[in-house]
Amino acid sequence: MPSKASLSLAVLIMLASGYGIVTAWSWPWKAALFPLVIGIPVFCLAAAEALWTLFGTRASEGQASDFQLSRHLPEKEMLRRTAIAIGWMLGFFAAIVLLGFPIALPLFVFLYLKLQGRESWTLSIVFTLVAWGIFYGLFDRLLHLPFPAGWLASWLGLA
Amino acid sequence: MIDALFEGLFLVLQWKALAFMLLGIGLGFWVGLLPGLGGATTLALMLPFIYTMQPVEAFAFLLGMHAVVATTGDITSVLFGVPGEGTSAATILDGHAMAKKGEAGRALGAALASSLVGAIVGAFALALAIPVVRPLVLSFGSPELFMLAIVGIAFIASLSAQGARGMLRGFLAGGLGLLLATVGQDPQAGVARYTLGTLYLWQGLELIPVLVGIFAIPEIIDLVVRGTSIAGTRPSGRISKGAFEGVKDTFRHFGLTIRCSLIGTFIGIMPGMGGAVAQWMAYGHATQSARNAEERKGFGAGDVRGVLGPGAANNSKEGGSLIPTIAFGVPGSTAMAILLGAFFLLGMVPGPDMLSKHLPVTFSMVWTIVLANVITVLACFMFLNRLASLTTVRGQLLIPVILMLVFIGSYTSNNHYGDIVVTLLFGGVGYLMVLGGWPRAPFVLGLVLGKIAENYLYISVARYEAAWLTRPVVLVLIALAIAVIVYPLFQSRRRAAHA
């Protein structure tokens, strides 16, 4: 898994920096100087990392002094739970775009607590009301942040 | 200088700044206590809320929050053997062993008191460093400042991961950050760079959605994957019993506490090393204080000196890491890189101005570190028994709240759905980086320093052409950058040859 992630990142960076170099070539020098000075070494380093991942030995892997993911579960189960987490995040984003923050937020909190957390009806409803209260009180009433209605309301002519 | 010192104190004690500091302390208190939510992540999450604040209020809020995270992180480490923060992992070795022996109160007392001593030593170092670094900073021009940015990235890239492979990834992450900083309209020629035909990217990648994504998303995914309550079973009995003994231990081994605080401060000053390194070096120093082999065996089995060392170091490093951040704009750690983002959001530029025009603001930061730690330690002693129950918050209750903050926080950067897309995309990049063992700190540093570095490089080339490379300080900095890259490689080769 770590080496697959490393290879994916290296290839992604190669593609991004390659695109960056090719695009910058046609710009005036003032605009192209920095992207080229950085982009060319980044492309070479990404290629070195990809080759190292493909042909290097495991012992040569350098661990970062950074946050580490939990690895106490079998790989299949980890993948399943990771997919669930990503699914919830994408679902929340889709709900925000379609319904707007004021509706998507309590809906997400309630569904997450009930379906994913398997919490009781009482706790789920009370927690959702508190979360919505914080959102409405702090962000809407106090900070006056603009949260537009979702696309669905626009399509239906309600906004 | 003295006037500015007291003006800094008065600024922090104004009711609004004080209120924001208390709010920050409250947040940092929880964040430190709860594993799975890092101090740097919370700092990134809170950035959107400082837009309307005055600089003193914003720094009181952010630093007040950040300064106490390591202090309360020690509590979770001692009680549950789970590090509340990455920077409090070393406290587990002897602190949790003491808790298992029924000396949790003593271990917590020692951790909290040594944290307070460490924070005060770090803040003193920051205050004392200001007159020393001032003339140095004022003599730096664009070429020197560009090279400093490069040295900072070289430091953080070479030290935030192990071995040649780790260094390669560090530089790659830093380079990617620098490259992504070029997205948007170029200030010199007006060219729209890498905007993919969208208006949203014309002003470049907004810092907050990127930071929130790269730090918060991997931790949220991990929290879902773990699917458990955060800290497991709660220890029984009153843990406050014996806490005073721990405080006495701090003064019984005061020399060791001060030495470990100085180790933490020094490591904090070195860009890229951070608290994770500081705590282990301090722990290593604490074990050296054993007078014989028998005493040394006690370390790891519940020696209070093994709690005092890391406790002091992981708090003193905050003052230390603020020195290069404020004076040179070179952050010493991930959290400082995010704090550097706060400077720009508030319209302030780290460097000479912070040591002259904005000196009272700089001193207000020193006072914030001291006051925040004093308040936190007092609060911890008052609520020691209740604190333990806070760590049993279930993950499934925490996740919707964190996600709510993540999405609202990133959306409010531009009030644009594009911000959330950026957060999700960089969340994916952050997750791959964590999974692959890549350091994220160099990436953040590259992104934060990218625009400044480009500007300094452009001015240097336009003003001096290639001659900027021959300026004495630039040559010294080039040599330093090379040394930073070569030395760890040389050291690992030597270690391999000895093994």
Side-chain angles (χ1 to χ4, degrees):
Chain A
M1 279 266 275
S3 54
K4 274 184 201 164
S6 218
L7 185 64
S8 315
L9 260 178
V11 171
L12 272 174
I13 296 172
M14 274 174 74
L15 291 173
S17 54
Y19 165 76
I21 295 163
V22 172
T23 315
W25 221 258
S26 57
W27 294 337
W29 80 270
K30 285 178 185 177
L33 175 71
F34 197 71
L36 289 178
V37 164
I38 302 298
I40 294 167
V42 165
F43 182 85
C44 298
L45 288 174
E49 170 63 28
L51 290 172
W52 207 330
T53 310
L54 286 170
F55 305 110
T57 54
R58 270 189 81 81
S60 60
E61 280 183 357
Q63 199 57 47
S65 312
D66 204 338
F67 163 69
Q68 304 284 320
L69 294 170
S70 315
R71 298 190 196 272
H72 65 285
L73 292 166
E75 199 174 310
K76 253 191 172 173
E77 182 59 16
M78 259 187 69
L79 276 174
R80 191 185 72 84
R81 292 190 188 184
T82 305
I84 289 172
I86 294 169
W88 277 107
M89 281 188 254
L90 292 178
F92 188 21
F93 174 58
I96 289 167
V97 174
L98 289 173
L99 306 169
F101 268 101
I103 298 173
L105 203 134
L107 185 71
F108 166 75
V109 173
F110 179 76
L111 288 178
Y112 191 89
L113 291 173
K114 202 73 206 105
L115 302 177
Q116 181 68 23
R118 301 194 190 286
E119 297 291 346
S120 67
W121 282 96
T122 317
L123 185 100
S124 303
I125 291 168
V126 170
F127 201 91
T128 303
L129 285 174
V130 171
W132 188 82
I134 291 169
F135 165 76
Y136 182 72
L138 183 66
F139 298 106
D140 197 78
R141 303 298 299 172
L142 198 69
L143 296 172
H144 301 290
L145 294 173
F147 292 107
W151 289 358
L152 210 60
S154 304
W155 293 336
L156 297 172
L158 299 171
Chain B
M1 181 84 175
I2 298 293
D3 290 346
L5 182 73
F6 284 105
E7 200 181 328
L9 177 63
F10 291 132
L11 285 172
V12 178
L13 292 179
Q14 281 175 349
W15 76 268
K16 231 174 160 183
L18 191 66
F20 278 120
M21 184 173 74
L22 291 174
L23 184 67
I25 291 171
L27 279 166
F29 197 101
W30 276 79
V31 169
L33 218 54
L34 299 172
L37 189 59
T41 306
T42 319
L43 214 51
L45 280 173
M46 291 301 132
L47 279 186
F49 302 109
I50 65 165
Y51 279 117
T52 54
M53 295 182 196
Q54 293 297 314
V56 174
E57 296 159 11
F59 288 123
F61 174 61
L62 294 176
L63 264 181
M65 183 176 72
H66 187 63
V68 303
V69 165
T71 310
T72 53
D74 283 340
I75 296 172
T76 329
S77 296
V78 169
L79 290 176
F80 308 112
V82 178
E85 284 297 301
T87 54
S88 55
T91 317
I92 292 175
L93 292 179
D94 282 283
H96 192 54
M98 284 175 78
K100 282 195 277 192
K101 287 198 300 187
E103 292 182 324
R106 186 180 168 198
L108 281 176
L112 291 172
S114 61
S115 293
L116 182 59
V117 172
I120 292 170
V121 169
F124 252 110
L126 173 60
L128 291 174
I130 287 166
V132 180
V133 294
R134 195 154 105 168
L136 189 71
V137 173
L138 293 174
S139 67
F140 275 28
S142 292
E144 288 81 11
L145 289 168
F146 170 72
M147 272 317 296
L148 257 183
I150 298 301
V151 170
I153 291 171
F155 253 114
I156 212 157
S158 66
L159 296 169
S160 53
Q162 294 159 12
R165 183 75 179 277
M167 195 184 285
L168 170 67
R169 289 170 173 174
F171 276 102
L172 204 41
L176 181 66
L178 285 171
L179 198 60
L180 287 170
T182 63
V183 172
Q185 195 178 23
D186 154 56
Q188 271 81 37
V191 175
R193 298 186 297 196
Y194 314 126
T195 55
L196 308 173
T198 61
L199 202 59
Y200 171 77
L201 288 173
W202 266 61
Q203 54 187 352
L205 280 169
E206 198 71 45
L207 198 60
I208 293 162
V210 177
L211 291 183
V212 167
I214 211 150
F215 285 104
I217 301 287
E219 293 201 30
I220 293 169
I221 292 175
D222 193 54
L223 212 54
V224 177
V225 168
R226 273 192 281 146
T228 56
S229 69
I230 285 177
T233 51
R234 185 188 168 187
S236 55
R238 288 179 68 80
I239 57 167
S240 60
K241 202 177 154 191
F244 191 62
E245 196 56 35
V247 179
K248 282 203 278 189
D249 282 324
T250 308
F251 293 97
R252 221 172 270 146
H253 304 285
F254 198 61
L256 174 74
T257 311
I258 294 289
R259 286 199 304 279
C260 289
S261 302
L262 292 174
I263 289 173
T265 308
F266 179 72
I267 291 170
I269 294 171
M270 304 297 288
M273 294 183 85
V277 181
Q279 56 169 342
W280 291 108
M281 286 189 74
Y283 186 79
H285 179 70
T287 56
Q288 282 173 343
S289 67
R291 280 162 291 189
N292 50 47
E294 200 57 41
E295 243 187 69
R296 186 159 290 193
K297 271 187 198 163
F299 279 93
D303 192 312
V304 75
R305 287 171 293 179
V307 179
L308 295 172
N314 64 19
N315 276 63
S316 65
K317 66 143 199 332
E318 295 309 333
S321 59
L322 265 172
I323 296 169
T325 311
I326 293 172
F328 302 108
V330 176
S333 62
T334 309
M336 287 300 131
I338 297 167
L339 199 74
L340 194 65
F343 274 86
F344 296 114
L345 290 179
L346 294 164
M348 299 183 86
V349 181
D353 277 358
M354 292 306 297
L355 305 173
S356 50
K357 203 165 78 183
H358 301 304
L359 193 59
V361 178
T362 305
F363 275 120
S364 77
M365 295 182 195
V366 176
W367 286 112
T368 300
I369 294 175
V370 175
L371 290 175
N373 272 283
V374 171
I375 292 167
T376 305
V377 169
L378 288 176
C380 284
F381 277 116
M382 279 165 69
F383 303 109
L384 219 49
N385 288 309
R386 294 200 179 159
L387 284 174
S389 64
L390 298 177
T391 54
T392 54
V393 174
R394 292 194 297 279
Q396 55 261 40
L397 294 181
L398 209 59
I399 290 162
V401 176
I402 301 171
L403 265 179
M404 182 176 101
L405 281 174
V406 163
F407 280 57
I408 294 175
S410 66
Y411 176 79
T412 49
S413 298
N414 288 307
N415 297 322
H416 196 288
Y417 290 132
D419 293 330
I420 306 179
V421 175
V422 168
T423 297
L424 290 171
L425 280 176
F426 281 92
V429 172
Y431 183 74
L432 283 177
M433 287 177 96
V434 172
L435 193 63
W438 290 39
R440 290 175 294 176
F443 172 80
V444 176
L445 193 56
L447 190 68
V448 170
L449 290 179
K451 279 199 168 56
I452 318 168
E454 180 175 14
N455 202 25
Y456 287 142
L457 177 67
Y458 174 73
I459 295 170
S460 305
V461 174
R463 170 79 176 78
Y464 306 101
E465 295 183 339
W468 70 270
L469 283 161
T470 59
R471 286 163 70 99
V473 179
V474 170
L475 288 172
V476 171
L477 291 169
I478 290 172
L480 186 63
I482 293 169
V484 162
I485 298 163
V486 173
Y487 184 69
L489 292 175
F490 171 73
Q491 219 181 15
S492 64
R493 282 230 167 148
R494 209 171 56 172
R495 228 177 285 137
H498 278 287

